[in-house]
Amino acid sequence: DARVTQTPRHKVTEMGQEVTMRCQPILGHNTVFWYRQTMMQGLELLAYFRNRAPLDDSGMPKDRFSAEMPDATLATLKIQPSEPRDSAVYFCASGPEGQATYNEQFFGPGTRLTVL
Amino acid sequence: DAKTTQPPSMDCAEGRAANLPCNHSTISGNEYVYWYRQIHSQGPQYIIHGLKNNETNEMASLIITEDRKSSTLILPHATLRDTAVYYCIVRVNNDMRFGAGTRLTVKP
């Protein structure tokens, strides 16, 4: 049963520390998405990649967040330096590239980040 | 992407059909209607999508009005495990914007 995996599942850190979240998309999927979910803002799209190239990261605070795909099996989201307002659940999703339609996205279990 | 409007919450009796409405009056001709749900503490899960024809799969049915300004997701026989937040999204590209959704509570 193919699934998106994310590590770590939980992370508690102190303000100012660097945080790296990792995602392994489903094998063969060539689009990868990062979302953030908070009670106040709900689910927000931060960035997405197609064939490892960033297509849109307009939802991401550029000064402290960065997203990369070093290879087809790994996507990373890094926050440096972290701030308490970054506390949220971060979801990664992957999907096969659609043609006329944009196919479903498969979500991982999320990384719950707490910045003290 | 077109904005969607959903009721914030709904209840449904176990075993009955759950009908979740969504208004998308500003939808454009090439935008698809997607439904996802999120069970507590899990990532969102795809349910179904459609353009203008009604669609059915093993999870649900999607009814889209002829003018495409609204749609209804139908869970034919709701179970307790269907309790979740249901999101209606209209999209034309990979930029998928989630709203607040409808919190469906299935009661025994």
Side-chain angles (χ1 to χ4, degrees):
Chain A
D1 185 23
R3 297 185 184 188
V4 175
T5 57
Q6 291 185 246
T7 56
R9 293 293 311 277
H10 302 273
K11 176 72 176 179
V12 180
T13 191
E14 293 187 346
M15 183 174 62
Q17 297 297 305
E18 178 179 299
V19 175
T20 299
M21 291 168 273
R22 294 176 175 81
C23 168
Q24 183 172 7
I26 293 173
L27 190 64
H29 285 184
N30 61 347
T31 55
V32 175
F33 308 82
W34 283 104
Y35 291 85
R36 175 172 63 183
Q37 186 170 36
T38 62
M39 289 293 292
M40 295 298 294
Q41 299 296 327
L43 262 167
E44 304 172 279
L45 177 67
L46 296 176
Y48 72 91
F49 294 75
R50 180 183 296 152
N51 296 324
R52 297 175 55 200
L55 286 193
D56 187 350
D57 60 2
S58 58
M60 205 163 64
K62 302 289 192 304
D63 55 338
R64 300 182 298 107
F65 284 60
S66 61
E68 295 179 347
M69 279 201 74
D71 61 59
T73 65
L74 177 65
T76 62
L77 180 66
K78 189 174 295 186
I79 307 174
Q80 168 62 21
S82 58
E83 297 181 1
R85 59 179 168 154
D86 301 329
S87 297
V89 180
Y90 291 80
F91 290 104
C92 173
S94 72
E97 182 172 356
Q99 297 176 346
T101 64
Y102 291 85
N103 293 319
E104 62 188 276
Q105 296 179 16
F106 295 79
F107 282 76
T111 293
R112 182 175 295 276
L113 173 65
T114 302
V115 183
L116 303 175
Chain B
D1 288 341
K3 183 177 177 180
T4 61
T5 304
Q6 300 177 252
S9 64
M10 292 181 64
D11 291 342
C12 177
E14 187 179 19
R16 304 297 292 268
N19 298 295
L20 292 92
C22 180
N23 286 325
H24 31 80
S25 58
T26 59
I27 193 170
S28 57
N30 59 346
E31 287 184 312
Y32 284 75
V33 180
Y34 281 74
W35 283 84
Y36 279 73
R37 73 180 182 184
Q38 187 173 22
I39 296 170
H40 182 62
S41 298
Q42 298 181 22
Q45 176 191 23
Y46 167 83
I47 301 172
I48 199 167
H49 75 281
L51 183 61
K52 48 186 172 182
N53 296 324
N54 297 337
E55 303 288 344
T56 295
N57 63 20
E58 65 278 4
M59 289 183 69
S61 295
L62 174 61
I63 309 298
I64 303 174
T65 57
E66 194 168 339
D67 64 7
R68 302 207 329 119
K69 293 183 184 300
S70 65
S71 60
T72 301
L73 178 75
I74 301 172
L75 307 179
H77 305 287
T79 71
L80 299 179
R81 288 182 294 181
D82 292 322
T83 291
V85 177
Y86 287 77
Y87 297 98
C88 168
I89 302 154
V90 291
R91 58 186 277 212
V92 70
N93 54 29
N94 273 316
D95 187 356
M96 194 161 66
R97 306 282 172 170
F98 288 78
T102 295
R103 182 174 297 279
L104 175 69
T105 302
V106 180
K107 299 186 173 181

